[in-house]
């Protein structure tokens, strides 16, 4: 049996080497272009979101800024979950990774845990969309240097939880949906993924282009956002701003516990 830790190392080595070989073979190809655009857009998002959060704070105060942060990180996490769950790459044969594991005695639970942990190190594009929003809050609120480490911890927890939940949905579709209805199930998941991605762009456009109009509506949104995982993702930075490092570490520990619970389920 391959242990989880050894499996994580194996997955990280394979995925990073695969990405590097694709980039080295065609530096000006699609992979290189996507990498450059992802990094450039992430830097731009930091500045844009920082400006938008500053405007929200001037119009509606500190509480509205916390709600705006939760709204954006929640929308990004939902879109990431939807796109992963609808991909089907964890359960459909054909990829080299899946074909390899079909020849090795690896349990589903062990493979899911390893893939979830490896996602934190091998999914830079997922981090490049969530992390900039967190850093924008750090810059706007002028938080101490330790807040960067807290933002990294939030991003890692989010990626692990999203990867675990998405794989669980894929496994559930294959296990419990009859074969003749499986194509319809994947189509519904892809439709939901498209809707979640559209919600991200709508929220981001609203916040970046008209933050002064969004700010007065944020107190009403806070009532239901506080009941969603979006509030958990924003909680460590909000606690750091309001109460200090100890409260932020406690909120981050709760987020880590929630992440472990998702993986366990």
């Amino acid at each position: 049996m391959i242990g989880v830790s050894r499996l994580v190392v194996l997955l990280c080595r394979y995925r990073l080497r695969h990405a590097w070989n694709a980039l080295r073979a065609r530096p000006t190809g699609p992979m290189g272009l996507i990498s450059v655009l992802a990094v450039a857009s992430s830097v731009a998002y930091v500045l844009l979101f920082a400006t938008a959060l500053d405007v929200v704070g001037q119009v509606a105060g500190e509480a509205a800024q916390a709600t705006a942060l939760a709204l954006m990180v929640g929308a990004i996490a939902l879109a990431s979950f939807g796109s992963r769950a609808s991909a089907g790459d964890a359960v459909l044969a054909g990829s080299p990774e899946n074909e390899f594991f079909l020849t090795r005695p690896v349990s589903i639970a062990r493979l899911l845990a390893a893939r979830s942990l490896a996602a934190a190190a091998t999914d830079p594009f997922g981090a490049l969309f969530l992390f900039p929003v967190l850093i924008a809050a750090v810059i706007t609120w002028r938080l101490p240097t330790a807040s960067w480490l807290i933002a990294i911890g939030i991003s890692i927890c989010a990626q692990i939880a999203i990867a675990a939940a998405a794989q669980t949905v894929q496994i559930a579709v294959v296990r419990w949906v009859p074969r003749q209805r499986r194509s319809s199930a994947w189509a519904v998941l892809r439709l939901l993924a498209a809707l979640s991605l559209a919600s991200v762009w709508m929220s981001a456009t609203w916040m970046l282009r008209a933050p002064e109009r969004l700010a007065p509506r944020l107190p009403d949104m806070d009532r239901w956002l506080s009941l969603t995982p979006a509030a958990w993702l924003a909680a460590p930075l909000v606690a750091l701003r309001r109460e200090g490092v100890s409260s932020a570490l406690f909120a981050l520990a709760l987020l880590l516990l929630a992440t472990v619970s998702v993986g366990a389920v």
Side-chain angles (χ1 to χ4, degrees):
M1 275 285 185
I2 301 177
V4 173
S5 59
R6 186 181 173 191
L7 200 54
V8 170
V9 173
L10 183 66
L11 287 171
C12 289
R13 288 179 58 188
Y14 163 73
R15 294 177 182 180
L16 293 175
R17 184 166 50 195
H18 179 74
W20 171 250
N21 288 340
L23 185 61
R24 186 176 59 176
R26 295 185 61 188
T28 59
M31 188 67 181
L33 181 60
I34 291 175
S35 301
V36 172
L37 290 177
V39 174
S41 62
S42 298
V43 175
Y45 278 142
V46 171
L47 302 176
L48 291 171
F49 278 117
T51 303
L53 281 175
D54 187 52
V55 173
V56 168
Q58 294 175 10
V59 174
E62 177 184 328
Q65 286 181 320
T67 305
L69 177 62
L71 175 65
M72 287 312 307
V73 296
I76 293 172
L78 179 62
S80 179
F81 166 74
S83 61
R84 290 192 186 202
S86 62
D89 54 351
V91 291
L92 300 181
S95 68
E97 183 179 305
N98 285 344
E99 292 295 331
F100 171 77
F101 287 120
L102 286 174
T103 65
R104 295 293 185 273
V106 180
S107 67
I108 288 293
R110 189 166 299 182
L111 181 60
L112 188 147
R115 279 176 165 168
S116 301
L117 294 172
T122 59
D123 185 27
F125 296 110
L128 285 174
F129 288 100
L130 180 63
F131 190 63
V133 182
L134 301 173
I135 294 303
V138 169
I139 294 174
T140 304
W141 296 341
R142 296 179 176 85
L143 298 178
T145 307
S147 59
W148 286 71
L149 298 178
I150 293 176
I152 292 173
I154 295 172
S155 180
I156 290 175
C157 287
Q159 290 184 79
I160 293 175
I162 290 170
Q167 289 179 80
T168 302
V169 171
Q170 296 178 41
I171 293 170
V173 169
V174 173
R175 183 169 182 176
W176 287 308
V177 177
R179 184 182 299 273
Q180 62 272 20
R181 298 180 181 177
R182 207 168 289 165
S183 297
S184 300
W186 290 120
V188 170
L189 286 175
R190 293 187 180 100
L191 178 60
L192 293 176
L195 292 174
S196 64
L197 185 60
S199 70
V200 171
W201 290 117
M202 291 172 62
S203 302
T205 301
W206 194 9
M207 182 172 178
L208 296 179
R209 297 186 63 180
E212 67 282 355
R213 296 183 181 179
L214 174 64
R217 304 189 182 187
L218 289 173
D220 295 330
M221 295 182 183
D222 184 61
R223 299 174 184 175
W224 56 268
L225 273 176
S226 60
L227 303 176
T228 66
W232 305 345
L233 294 175
L237 289 182
V238 175
L240 179 62
R241 182 188 188 188
R242 294 176 178 175
E243 302 175 14
V245 177
S246 59
S247 297
L249 292 178
F250 179 73
L252 186 61
L254 292 179
L255 179 60
L256 179 60
L257 179 62
T259 301
V260 174
S261 301
V262 170
V265 170

